[in-house]
C-alpha cells in the first residue's frame, strides 16, 4: 500500500491520541457510575443499620420514614417468617424473597441489587435495593430483615451530564490533536524531504551541499552522516578527477616521450635498410637505438612496477642489511651521474648500521631519492646520512637544490606529478612515477617518509624504518 510519509506520521499520532482519549472516557464513565452506585448502596446500608441498631419504637420509625421519604428512600421491615411488620398494611403482605436469599440473610449477610421497573411513562426506572438482616437482642437469633430502596435514576442523569461534558472535551481535543498531529507530521516530513532534496542534488553531482543539524535525534545524526558522506564523496571525486587529469597528461607525456625515441629508431633503421649510413656511423647508430630503447623500456617497466606494488602483487623479501655495503653499491651505481653533474654527493655515518628491509626495494627507494636530489640541484651538495633511532633506522637525503613550494609538496607523491612540466625530458628521463613508487614501497615496509623543503634553499627527505620485525 502506498501511503505518503506525511499521512503515516499524521495517522499514527492521531490514532494514538484518539485511542487514549476513548479509553480514558470509557473508563471514567464506567468507573463513575459504579462508584456512584456503591455510595448509594452504602448509604442505604447505613440507614438499615440505624433502624436496627437501637430499640426503635414504632413512632421513631415513622419519623425516620418521613425524613427519608424526602430523598425517595423507603424501607420495609419483615419478621423471620418474611411477613411485613412495618409499615402496617391492612392486608397481609409477604416479601417475595428467593429462598436462597433468605438463607444468606440468616447467616448475617447483607444483600444488594439493582432492580429495574418501568414508570408510568414506560421509561425504565432503576432502583437500588438492599436487604439487611437483624437479630434478636437476647437470643441473637435471626429475627427478620429490613429492605431499603432508593431510586438511582439521578445517577444516570449525572452520568449523562458527565458524558456530554466528556464528549465536548473529546471533540475539542480531537480537533486540537488533528491540528497538532498535522503540524508535527509536517515538521518531520519536511526534515526528511530536506534530506531527500540534498541527496538528489548530490546525485546530480553537487558536492558542496551541507545540511544544518543540531544533534538532537536520529534524523539529525542522519544529516550529520550525510554531510560526512558527501565530503568523502567530494574528496574521492576530486581524487578521481586529479588522477584522470594526471593520467591524461601522462598519456600525452608518454606519447610525447615515446614518439621521439621511436622516430629516432625508425629513422636509423630506415637508414640501415637503404644502406645510407656510412660504415663508420653504423655502430654509433646502433648505440643510439639501444639507448632510446632502454628509455622506452624504463617507462614501461616503471608503470608496471607501480601498478604491481599498488595492487599488492609485490612480496617483500626482508632481511638484515648492513647499510654501509648497500651505500657503497649505490655510490658505485651513481658514479656516472655524479660525474656528469655539477653536484657533490656525500654519503656518511652508515658504519655498523643494520636495516631490516628488502634489499632491492630499499635500493630502489634510495636511488630514486638520490637521483631526484641530483636532478633538482645544480652546483650543490647532496648529503645522505644514516642514524640509529630508538626503534629503527633513519636515513635522510638532503640537497641544496631548487626546493619546492608547499603547494608542490602536497602533490609530489601522486603518480605522474611533475612540479614543473617544463622539466620533462631531462636526460634522466622523467615520468613523475619515482616518488609515487617510493611512497608505495615505504608503506610496504611499514616505514614512514617525510619531506621538508624550501624554494631555492633545498629539500630533505627523511625515511624511518622500524626494526620491530627483528624482535
Ligand atoms: N629533491 C627534490 N627537489 C626538488 N623537487 C623535487 C625533488 N624531488 C622531487 N621533486 C619534485 O617532485 C616531482 C615528482 O618527483 P618524481 O621522482 O615522482 O618524478 P620525476 O623525478 O619527475 O620522474 P621519475 O622519477 O619518474 O623519472 C618532481 O618532478 C619534482 O618536481
Ligand atoms: Mg624522480
Amino acid at each position: 500500500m502506498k501511503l505518503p510519509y506525511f499521512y503515516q506520521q499524521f495517522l499514527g499520532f492521531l490514532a494514538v491520541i484518539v485511542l487514549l482519549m476513548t479509553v480514558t472516557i470509557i473508563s471514567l464513565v464506567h468507573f463513575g457510575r459504579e462508584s456512584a452506585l456503591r455510595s448509594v448502596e452504602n448509604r442505604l446500608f447505613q440507614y438499615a443499620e440505624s433502624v436496627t441498631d437501637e430499640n426503635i419504637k414504632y413512632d421513631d420509625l415513622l419519623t425516620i420514614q418521613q425524613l427519608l421519604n424526602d430523598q425517595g428512600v423507603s424501607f420495609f421491615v419483615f419478621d423471620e417468617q418474611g411477613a411485613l411488620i412495618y409499615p402496617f398494611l391492612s392486608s397481609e403482605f409477604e416479601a417475595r424473597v428467593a429462598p436462597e436469599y433468605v438463607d444468606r440473610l440468616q447467616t448475617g449477610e447483607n444483600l444488594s441489587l439493582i432492580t429495574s421497573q418501568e414508570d408510568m411513562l414506560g421509561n425504565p426506572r432503576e432502583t437500588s435495593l438492599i436487604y439487611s438482616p437483624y437479630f434478636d437482642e437476647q437470643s441473637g437469633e435471626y429475627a427478620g430483615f429490613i429492605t431499603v430502596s432508593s431510586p438511582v435514576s439521578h445517577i444516570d442523569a449525572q452520568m449523562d451530564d458527565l458524558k456530554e461534558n466528556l464528549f465536548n472535551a473529546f471533540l475539542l481535543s480531537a480537533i486540537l490533536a488533528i491540528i497538532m498531529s498535522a503540524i508535527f507530521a509536517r515538521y518531520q516530513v519536511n526534515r526528511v524531504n530536506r534530506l531527500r532534496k540534498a541527496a538528489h542534488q548530490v546525485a546530480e553531482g553537487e558536492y558542496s551541499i551541507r545540511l544544518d543539524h543540531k544533534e538532537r535525534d536520529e534524523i539529525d545524526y542522519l544529516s550529520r552522516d550525510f554531510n560526512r558522506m558527501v565530503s568523502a564523496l567530494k574528496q574521492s571525486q576530486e581524487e578521481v578527477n586529479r588522477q584522470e587529469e594526471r593520467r591524461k597528461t601522462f598519456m600525452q607525456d608518454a606519447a610525447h616521450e615515446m614518439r621521439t625515441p621511436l622516430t629516432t629508431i625508425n629513422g636509423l633503421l630506415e637508414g640501415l635498410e637503404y644502406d645510407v649510413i656510412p660504415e663508420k656511423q653504423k655502430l654509433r647508430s646502433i648505440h643510439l637505438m639501444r639507448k632510446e630503447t632502454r628509455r622506452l623500456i624504463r617507462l614501461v617497466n616503471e608503470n608496471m612496477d607501480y601498478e604491481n606494488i599498488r595492487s599488492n602483487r609485490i612480496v617483500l623479501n626482508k632481511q638484515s642489511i648492513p647499510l654501509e655495503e648497500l651505500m657503497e653499491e649505490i655510490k658505485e651505481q651513481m658514479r656516472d651521474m655524479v660525474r656528469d653533474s655539477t653536484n657533490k654527493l656525500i654519503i656518511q655515518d652508515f658504519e655498523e648500521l643494520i636495516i631490516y628491509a628488502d634489499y632491492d626495494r630499499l635500493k630502489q627507494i634510495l636511488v630514486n631519492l638520490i637521483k631526484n636530489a641530483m636532478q633538482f640541484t645544480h652546483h650543490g651538495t647532496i648529503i645522505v646520512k644514516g642514524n640509529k633511532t630508538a626503534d629503527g633506522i633513519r636515513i635522510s637525503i638532503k640537497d641544496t637544490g631548487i626546493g619546492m613550494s608547499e603547494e608542490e609538496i602536497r602533490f609530489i607523491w601522486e603518480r605522474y606529478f611533475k612540479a614543473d612540466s617544463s622539466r620533462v625530458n631531462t636526460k634522466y628521463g622523467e615520468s613523475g612515477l619515482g616518488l609515487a613508487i617510493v611512497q608505495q614501497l615505504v608503506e610496504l615496509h611499514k616505514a614512514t617518509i617525510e619531506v621538508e623543503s624550501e624554494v631555492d634553499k633545498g629539500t630533505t627527505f627523511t625515511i624511518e624504518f622500524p626494526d620491530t620485525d627483528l624482535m
Side-chain angles (χ1 to χ4, degrees):
M1 192 177 66
K2 243 173 116 178
L3 190 65
Y5 187 53
F6 173 79
Y7 291 108
Q8 289 178 31
Q9 292 278 316
F10 176 67
L11 292 178
F13 295 137
L14 200 60
V16 169
I17 291 168
V18 169
L19 188 76
L20 256 172
M21 286 189 322
T22 313
V23 168
T24 314
I25 287 172
I26 289 176
S27 42
L28 254 178
V29 169
H30 183 75
F31 180 76
R33 189 180 149 80
E34 281 298 302
S35 74
L37 285 176
R38 282 294 87 72
S39 83
V40 168
E41 258 168 40
N42 283 342
R43 201 157 36 95
L44 297 186
F45 279 122
Q46 274 166 16
Y47 293 151
E49 217 171 291
S50 58
V51 169
T52 46
D53 231 18
E54 304 140 46
N55 254 337
I56 281 183
K57 310 213 171 54
Y58 184 69
D59 287 347
D60 297 335
L61 286 178
L62 274 179
T63 330
I64 294 172
Q65 173 73 75
Q66 259 160 19
L67 279 173
L68 292 181
N69 267 348
D70 296 344
Q71 298 175 36
V73 176
S74 48
F75 70 92
F76 301 88
V77 184
F78 297 88
D79 66 9
E80 70 268 38
Q81 309 298 332
L84 183 69
I85 50 175
Y86 173 85
F88 283 130
L89 291 176
S90 44
S91 57
E92 285 272 302
F93 183 84
E94 291 241 344
R96 280 170 292 148
V97 183
E100 85 248 28
Y101 277 15
V102 178
D103 289 348
R104 281 164 68 183
L105 284 169
Q106 281 172 356
T107 62
E109 198 181 329
N110 285 323
L111 300 175
S112 72
L113 51 113
I114 305 285
T115 63
S116 183
Q117 289 159 342
E118 282 187 3
D119 64 8
M120 283 169 290
L121 295 168
N123 295 323
R125 231 178 63 122
E126 281 189 308
T127 310
S128 174
L129 180 64
I130 63 113
Y131 294 80
S132 181
Y134 63 92
F135 299 88
D136 189 272
E137 286 264 309
Q138 270 97 47
S139 63
E141 273 176 22
Y142 173 69
F145 62 91
I146 298 169
T147 73
V148 190
S149 71
S150 162
V152 288
S153 39
H154 68 282
I155 289 179
D156 286 325
Q158 275 171 13
M159 280 303 121
D160 285 344
D161 273 0
L162 179 68
K163 275 185 205 158
E164 201 181 307
N165 276 333
L166 283 176
F167 183 72
N168 289 340
F170 179 87
L171 263 188
L172 192 74
S173 32
I175 292 168
L176 273 175
I178 288 174
I179 295 171
M180 276 173 56
S181 307
I183 292 173
F184 197 57
R186 170 67 44 219
Y187 171 70
Q188 293 293 358
V189 170
N190 281 346
R191 296 174 78 201
V192 173
N193 276 342
R194 198 172 62 114
L195 261 165
R196 223 183 95 190
K197 203 172 127 204
H200 186 76
Q201 278 168 298
V202 171
E204 302 276 287
E206 168 89 67
Y207 295 111
S208 54
I209 294 281
R210 288 292 175 279
L211 293 171
D212 294 336
H213 57 86
K214 301 206 179 80
E215 311 258 324
R216 281 173 316 197
D217 61 6
E218 280 80 353
I219 294 188
D220 278 330
Y221 295 140
L222 182 62
S223 306
R224 187 192 60 194
D225 292 345
F226 179 87
N227 285 347
R228 284 186 187 158
M229 185 192 74
V230 176
S231 27
L233 265 176
K234 188 179 177 190
Q235 267 173 19
S236 52
Q237 189 58 43
E238 281 168 359
E239 175 65 23
V240 167
N241 290 346
R242 262 206 302 276
Q243 290 280 351
E244 181 58 20
E245 205 45 49
R246 301 249 178 294
R247 197 189 59 80
K248 268 197 221 147
T249 1
F250 174 72
M251 289 306 283
Q252 282 163 4
D253 291 352
H256 181 81
E257 295 241 335
M258 283 176 173
R259 196 181 301 123
T260 328
L262 284 174
T263 323
T264 315
I265 295 168
N266 193 42
L268 290 168
L269 284 173
E270 228 174 55
L272 288 174
E273 191 183 11
Y274 297 109
D275 213 9
V276 292
I277 299 178
E279 205 57 40
K280 275 195 283 175
Q281 298 278 320
K282 271 188 185 159
L283 195 65
R284 216 183 77 87
S285 310
I286 291 171
H287 275 306
L288 200 61
M289 284 197 288
R290 275 209 59 195
K291 200 184 137 211
E292 294 300 308
T293 321
R294 272 203 302 272
R295 251 180 81 178
L296 287 172
I297 293 172
R298 178 179 178 263
L299 197 68
V300 172
N301 280 349
E302 281 192 353
N303 263 297
M304 291 294 289
D305 203 23
Y306 179 80
E307 284 305 329
N308 283 339
I309 300 168
R310 271 213 89 149
S311 47
N312 282 332
R313 266 177 298 194
I314 294 287
V315 182
L316 292 185
N317 176 21
K318 287 197 201 172
Q319 48 184 322
S320 299
I321 304 165
L323 270 174
E324 203 175 359
E325 275 170 45
L326 174 69
M327 294 320 290
E328 272 308 313
E329 215 175 296
I330 291 176
K331 210 169 168 180
E332 187 60 34
Q333 192 178 326
M334 304 292 300
R335 193 199 301 277
D336 288 354
M337 192 178 181
V338 177
R339 196 192 51 222
D340 294 348
S341 77
T342 52
N343 301 320
K344 232 176 103 182
L345 174 64
I346 300 170
I347 293 179
Q348 61 185 32
D349 298 343
F350 283 100
E351 302 81 26
E352 284 169 25
L353 287 188
I354 306 283
I355 197 167
Y356 189 66
D358 181 304
Y359 191 89
D360 291 326
R361 295 302 182 176
L362 176 60
K363 196 165 142 191
Q364 192 181 356
I365 294 171
L366 294 174
V367 167
N368 251 307
L369 293 173
I370 298 170
K371 268 192 183 172
N372 276 353
M374 297 286 288
Q375 211 172 328
F376 301 107
T377 307
H378 308 288
H379 303 286
T381 315
I382 289 103
I383 302 174
V384 185
K385 230 172 135 164
N387 233 152
K388 174 101 193 77
T389 64
D391 49 7
I393 299 283
R394 180 187 301 137
I395 303 173
S396 60
I397 298 105
K398 182 174 156 73
D399 66 50
T400 53
I402 60 170
M404 286 174 278
S405 68
E406 270 180 36
E407 175 74 12
E408 282 162 13
I409 291 177
R410 273 206 283 144
F411 295 109
I412 53 169
W413 308 108
E414 285 183 20
R415 196 184 185 181
Y416 310 140
F417 176 79
K418 279 160 271 176
D420 180 354
S421 315
S422 64
R423 290 180 194 167
V424 178
N425 237 344
T426 70
K427 59 182 164 185
Y428 304 114
E430 295 177 335
S431 54
L433 274 167
L435 286 181
I437 293 176
V438 165
Q439 194 196 32
Q440 298 289 327
L441 288 175
V442 165
E443 244 171 53
L444 265 185
H445 277 93
K446 299 193 173 56
T448 56
I449 181 160
E450 271 168 24
V451 57
E452 263 175 64
S453 189
E454 211 177 313
V455 178
D456 291 335
K457 289 269 165 61
T459 308
T460 307
F461 281 91
T462 312
I463 333 171
E464 292 206 24
F465 280 82
D467 51 14
T468 40
D469 270 345
L470 280 171
M471 290 183 264

